[in-house]
Amino acid sequence: DGEKHKAVNLLAKNLASLGYNVFVPRIPLLMQLNISNDNVDWIRYIYNMIQDRKDVDNKNIMGFGISYRGGMLLKASLQEEFQRNPLKSIYLYGSGCNTDTILRFITKGEFEVGGEIRKITPHDWGLTVFFHHFMDEIDFGFDKKQIKEVIQLRVSGQKEKSNDKIKLLNNKELNIINAIMKGDINSEVQKIVDQILKNKAKYIDDLSCKKACKDIATKVFILHGANDNMIPYTESIQLDELFPDSELL
C-alpha cells in the first residue's frame, strides 16, 4: 500500500516541498503483485484523470517510474492518451529493460557486465513475486495448495500468519518454501524455475519494455543503485542504449 511505502512517501514529500503537485497512484493489480501488461491500461486511465484536474498544468506533466512500474510507464507512454499530450519528461529509478535478464537475475543471481557473467545473491522478494505470479502454471508433482497459501499470505503482508502456516508444512513443502523465501534456490526449485522460463518464454518476452524504447521520443532520465539486488544496474545501461533521447545519471 502506498501509505506504508516509506521510500515512495519520502520521495513524494521531497518533490512536493519543491513546489510540484505529486500524485502517487495505487494501481490495484500492482498492489496484488500482478505484473501483467494489464497495468498499462490502468496507467492510461490514471493519466487521463491527472490531465483533467484543474490544479494540473497538463502541458508540464512528468512521469516517474520505480522498479517494475518504470517499464509499464514506458509502454503506456506510447498509447493514445500520452501521444495526444506527451509527458514533459520521464524519470526511471531502478527499472528493468529485458524481462528475460531480470528473471535470470531474480532466479539465479546472474547478470552480464562486458560479456562476463557476474553473480550476487538476489533479494528474496523477487523470487517470492516470481512464484506468486506464475503459481497457477507450476506443477510441483503434488497438491500445491499449502505452498500457494503461504506465498499469498507473504505477498499480502501477513508475515506472521505466513510463518504460522509454514509450521504446518510437510518436509517436501518446507524444502520448496524455504528455498523461495530465502532466495536460496535448490535443485528442485531451479528445475521448476527453468521449466517456467521455457514454457512462458513468449509471455515473458511480451512483458519486456525493450521493444518500446526506440519509439519513445520523450526525454528519459535514468537512475539506478549500483548495489540494487532486486533489478541489476545493467538493466538501466540497456535502457540508456535503446532510448533516442536519454541520460543515465
Side-chain angles (χ1 to χ4, degrees), residues 108-123:
K108 297 184 179 181
E110 296 179 353
F111 62 104
E112 187 174 324
V113 179
E116 179 184 344
I117 299 296
R118 304 280 181 87
K119 203 164 186 178
I120 64 172
T121 302
H123 197 291

Side-chain angles (χ1 to χ4, degrees), residues 71 74-75 77-78 92 96-98 208-218 220 222 235 238-245:
L74 293 173
K75 289 182 180 180
S77 72
L78 295 178
L92 302 177
C97 173
N98 185 343
S208 296
C209 66
K210 61 181 180 180
K211 295 177 183 176
C213 293
K214 63 179 175 52
D215 297 320
I216 294 173
T218 303
V220 184
I222 309 167
E235 291 296 314
Q238 289 186 59
L239 286 171
D240 186 50
E241 292 173 346
L242 294 172
F243 291 128
D245 186 9

Side-chain angles (χ1 to χ4, degrees), residues 23-245:
F23 302 93
V24 184
R26 300 175 67 202
I27 298 176
L29 294 180
L30 288 178
M31 288 171 63
Q32 300 164 17
L33 296 182
N34 178 327
I35 59 174
S36 71
N37 283 321
D38 292 339
N39 288 289
V40 171
D41 289 333
W42 275 100
I43 295 174
R44 295 170 64 184
Y45 173 73
I46 290 165
Y47 189 57
N48 274 333
M49 290 181 64
I50 292 173
Q51 289 185 90
D52 290 342
R53 289 179 62 100
K54 293 182 179 179
D55 59 346
V56 170
D57 177 358
N58 62 15
K59 297 301 179 184
N60 286 291
I61 302 176
M62 297 183 297
F64 204 114
I66 300 174
S67 190
Y68 177 77
R69 275 73 67 187
M72 291 291 103
L73 175 61
L74 293 173
K75 289 182 180 180
S77 72
L78 295 178
Q79 301 302 312
E80 182 181 356
E81 294 81 359
F82 287 84
Q83 292 297 299
R84 284 199 307 264
N85 182 35
L87 291 166
K88 188 78 172 179
S89 59
I90 296 173
Y91 289 77
L92 302 177
Y93 183 81
S95 295
C97 173
N98 185 343
T99 307
D100 182 56
T101 53
I102 293 171
L103 292 181
R104 189 187 310 154
F105 176 75
I106 287 173
T107 58
K108 297 184 179 181
E110 296 179 353
F111 62 104
E112 187 174 324
V113 179
E116 179 184 344
I117 299 296
R118 304 280 181 87
K119 203 164 186 178
I120 64 172
T121 302
H123 197 291
D124 55 64
W125 186 243
L127 194 60
T128 301
V129 173
F130 175 86
F131 271 84
H132 171 69
H133 187 70
F134 290 106
M135 179 59 69
D136 292 337
E137 312 290 334
I138 300 172
D139 180 9
F140 289 102
F142 57 85
D143 189 350
K144 59 189 174 187
K145 180 182 177 182
Q146 302 303 320
I147 290 177
K148 184 174 183 178
E149 287 182 1
V150 169
I151 292 177
Q152 286 178 332
L153 288 169
R154 184 60 61 96
V155 300
S156 64
Q158 302 180 68
K159 191 172 182 179
E160 289 187 9
K161 287 185 178 181
S162 175
N163 289 337
D164 289 340
K165 191 75 177 178
I166 288 174
K167 296 175 183 177
L168 303 177
L169 300 180
N170 61 40
N171 288 337
K172 186 176 289 188
E173 293 166 334
L174 188 61
N175 183 50
I176 291 174
I177 277 296
N178 281 338
I180 295 170
M181 296 300 187
K182 295 177 181 178
D184 185 15
I185 300 182
N186 55 36
S187 59
E188 186 174 4
V189 171
Q190 186 63 65
K191 183 178 179 181
I192 294 170
V193 167
D194 290 342
Q195 195 62 48
I196 293 172
L197 295 179
K198 178 181 178 181
N199 293 346
K200 303 296 292 184
K202 186 181 185 307
Y203 174 80
I204 290 169
D205 184 59
D206 288 342
L207 288 178
S208 296
C209 66
K210 61 181 180 180
K211 295 177 183 176
C213 293
K214 63 179 175 52
D215 297 320
I216 294 173
T218 303
K219 174 80 174 189
V220 184
F221 296 92
I222 309 167
L223 304 93
H224 210 121
N227 296 317
D228 193 332
N229 65 348
M230 183 67 76
I231 294 178
Y233 71 89
T234 47
E235 291 296 314
S236 281
I237 294 174
Q238 289 186 59
L239 286 171
D240 186 50
E241 292 173 346
L242 294 172
F243 291 128
D245 186 9

